[in-house]
């Protein structure tokens, strides 16, 4: 299936993770990160942002959420850039496989890596 390039976006996203503690012994344990920031391509359809590679993942822009530090319902969009900012728009439609290659190229070119961290 081909997607209209004007509905595709390269996004920096955040997946909020609930706090978890694993304890192996009486004094041992570690805390998992509270969030993971990652990059992906999403498309805009029916007033919703949807992950191109996993249609079940829905997104909200961080500006739509009151308290993003406590928000766990959706993936959050931290930054949003039109895919046409990164590629030649000679072709109006691209396939999912092409988007996968584009995403990898953008990440390598800009030296972007996923980030794990703790909320303040």
């Amino acid at each position: 299936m081909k997607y209209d390039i004007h509905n595709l976006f390269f996004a920096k996203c955040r997946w909020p993770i609930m706090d978890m503690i694993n304890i192996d012994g009486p004094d041992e344990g570690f805390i998992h990160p509270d969030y993971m920031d990652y990059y992906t391509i999403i498309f805009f359809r029916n007033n919703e942002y949807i992950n191109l590679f996993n249609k079940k993942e829905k997104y909200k822009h961080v500006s739509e959420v009151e308290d993003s530090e406590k928000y766990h319902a959706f993936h959050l969009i931290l930054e949003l850039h039109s895919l046409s900012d990164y590629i030649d728009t000679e072709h109006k439609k691209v396939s999912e496989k092409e988007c996968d290659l584009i995403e990898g190229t953008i990440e390598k070119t800009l030296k972007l890596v996923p980030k794990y961290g703790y909320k303040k």
Side-chain angles (χ1 to χ4, degrees), residues 29-46:
F30 61 93
I31 299 172
H32 290 280
D34 291 330
Y35 68 86
M36 178 181 80
D37 290 348
Y38 63 96
Y39 301 89
T40 191
I41 294 177
I42 58 178
F43 70 100
F44 188 70
R45 179 180 68 185
N46 300 331

Side-chain angles (χ1 to χ4, degrees), residues 73-116:
F74 287 88
H75 294 260
L76 292 175
I77 299 169
L78 302 177
E79 295 177 25
L80 192 64
H81 305 280
S82 174
L83 198 60
S84 61
D85 293 346
Y86 295 99
I87 63 172
D88 182 14
T89 56
E90 180 181 324
H91 303 289
K92 301 291 183 202
K93 294 189 180 265
V94 291
S95 70
E96 190 173 317
K97 182 62 179 166
E98 289 170 318
C99 285
D100 193 25
L101 295 171
I102 292 166
E103 178 189 337
T105 302
I106 293 170
E107 288 179 13
K108 287 177 187 171
T109 303
L110 299 178
K111 297 182 172 105
L112 303 175
V113 294
K115 176 184 169 189
Y116 301 88

